[in-house]
Amino acid sequence: MTRNRVLAMGVALAGALLAGCAGPRIGAGETITIGVLAPLTSGVPAAARSAVWGATLAADEINAGGGVVGATITLLVLDDRGSTEEVERAFAQMLQRRVVAIVGPLTDATATAVAPMAERAGIPLVSPGATGTIPYAGSSVFRTSLPAPAQARVLADYLMGMRRARRLTIIHEGNDYGTLVARAFAERVRGSSREIVGTRLYRDGDEDFTRHANGVVADGADAVFIAGYPDEAALILQALQARGVRAVVAGSDALYSQDLVRWAGAAADGLVLPAAFVPTEPLPGVQEFVGKYRRKYGEMPDHFAAQAYDALKVVAFAIRRGGRTPAQIRAALQGVRRFPGATGEITFDRWGAPDRPVAIAVVREGQFELVQR
């Protein structure tokens, strides 16, 4: 999957979504506008689409139930392209449209770029995808996604519980997200009976990972951890398969995406991932959300869909609890405790992160299955 082809797919997807998701609106009367920032034309188009669909489903449900505090929710969906420059322009446009809160952005880089702008404007952000350290987190920035240290620790513990995973190699993108997750993973492994035998970097847009696969073999690694995004990770998985690597392969939460499964094909089978949500989990709240999502879109939801659904729902809860202004919504979000979401109960800690357990999923024949909660 080349970068140009990914972008072309994303452009087509963005056009369809932006045409069809300008915002659910029922009848006439008062409306409350909530923004949705997603990288529809980027290296993660399916994750972006899932986030938009999850937020749209939540807004549709709320509006069908009479809206929130007597008003209809309207979504303003803008494509930030995964670009720090574009997300700043999109945020400025949202301010002109008087949004009261924003679901997004999805990536660490875009969330970091727009967080100071949100703080200055007093607009709360609830990201369904950012995992790293974000400025003003807990003040203006909240998330329904898994913080990088939490997911890395749980995944490291899971691998260290496997007898065969004793020598581990890390392959990570050299951006903030990849570096942060890789560092947290390595810190958890150090001091244990396991050993980090190699660390290899790559850059956004790299396409040849032969040397990385050869390095895994040279390391004598029996487990590999990949921290990055689906476009390059799919190529890494294919390179490992082509080299005949039989090590256990794990990845960061951004790889929990239909993009990764589609692009990597059979090379994704057996990939171990951290997750806030697994659609096969037999909990009533999970299966209720899965059923509604499949009826509306004809697809199984991923964790980006569930996290965006929860993000919109928790914003609506904050409006009911605190009021309609951005300041009131932000104050109410800071006090959220045990909110029942599709991803489980949400309690925001002092940094705006959800305080909850991390599940472990595995890819089997193109599907994500729960292996540990």
Side-chain angles (χ1 to χ4, degrees):
M1 176 65 66
T2 66
R3 177 75 50 164
N4 288 339
R5 187 177 172 196
V6 169
L7 183 59
M9 290 171 60
V11 169
L13 173 62
L17 283 173
L18 294 175
C21 295
R25 186 171 181 173
I26 55 174
E30 190 172 0
T31 63
I32 296 174
T33 303
I34 297 173
V36 178
L37 285 170
L40 296 169
T41 48
S42 69
V44 288
R49 181 196 63 179
S50 293
V52 172
W53 281 1
T56 302
L57 176 62
D60 284 346
E61 287 181 14
I62 293 165
N63 289 338
V68 58
V69 293
T72 298
I73 289 178
T74 298
L75 298 185
L76 174 60
V77 180
L78 294 181
D79 179 13
D80 63 35
R81 301 186 181 183
S83 158
T84 55
E85 294 81 8
E86 189 63 31
V87 77
E88 291 174 357
R89 286 192 287 269
F91 182 85
Q93 185 177 344
M94 286 188 169
L95 288 185
Q96 294 173 356
R97 297 284 294 274
R98 298 184 181 279
V99 301
V100 298
I102 294 173
V103 172
L106 197 66
T107 68
D108 285 14
T110 50
T112 298
V114 83
M117 300 175 68
E119 178 72 5
R120 289 192 296 271
I123 301 293
L125 306 177
V126 184
S127 174
T131 63
T133 302
I134 307 297
Y136 309 107
S139 172
S140 293
V141 182
F142 306 84
R143 71 186 91 199
T144 52
S145 49
L146 297 174
Q151 59 167 286
R153 286 195 297 267
V154 171
L155 194 57
D157 288 347
Y158 180 80
L159 291 178
M160 288 189 292
M162 303 176 69
R163 288 187 177 182
R164 59 181 290 197
R166 296 189 174 277
R167 296 170 57 83
L168 299 95
T169 288
I170 298 173
I171 302 174
H172 73 92
E173 186 169 352
N175 60 8
D176 290 345
Y177 169 72
T179 301
L180 182 64
V181 179
R183 183 179 300 157
F185 180 87
E187 288 175 355
R188 190 68 168 185
V189 173
R190 291 192 182 102
S192 73
S193 60
R194 274 34 176 191
E195 181 183 4
I196 303 292
V197 294
T199 300
R200 288 173 171 78
L201 294 172
Y202 64 89
R203 296 175 298 178
D204 182 21
D206 284 353
E207 296 185 349
D208 185 356
F209 293 94
T210 304
R211 67 180 181 86
H212 295 76
N214 289 338
V216 170
V217 175
D219 292 339
D222 43 35
V224 181
F225 176 59
I226 303 171
Y229 291 110
D231 42 359
E232 288 87 14
L235 298 175
I236 293 170
L237 291 171
Q238 290 172 341
L240 292 173
Q241 183 186 57
R243 187 63 176 79
V245 173
R246 297 185 178 277
V248 178
V249 183
S252 56
D253 74 321
L255 306 191
Y256 185 169
S257 166
Q258 287 299 327
D259 284 330
L260 185 284
V261 171
R262 184 169 61 253
W263 297 338
D269 275 2
L271 180 67
V272 179
L273 300 162
F277 168 85
V278 181
T280 56
E281 190 167 11
L283 294 177
V286 171
Q287 291 310 306
E288 181 182 359
F289 167 70
V290 169
K292 290 184 291 191
Y293 191 93
R294 294 187 69 180
R295 283 192 294 274
K296 184 173 179 64
Y297 300 115
E299 294 184 11
M300 188 74 81
D302 61 15
H303 69 312
F304 292 111
Q307 288 166 182
Y309 176 89
D310 282 354
L312 197 286
K313 283 293 188 82
V314 81
V315 168
F317 171 78
I319 293 171
R320 292 191 187 97
R321 182 176 179 178
R324 303 183 186 190
T325 71
Q328 291 170 328
I329 297 168
R330 183 169 66 172
L333 287 170
Q334 291 168 348
V336 167
R337 299 290 182 273
R338 302 190 69 180
F339 176 81
T343 59
E345 289 188 345
I346 297 173
T347 295
F348 289 131
D349 64 18
R350 61 186 294 188
W351 299 282
D355 182 10
R356 64 180 174 213
V358 180
I360 297 293
V362 65
V363 178
R364 292 196 177 108
E365 297 183 352
Q367 301 298 319
F368 299 99
E369 296 185 11
L370 180 71
V371 294
Q372 176 180 296
R373 166 61 75 178

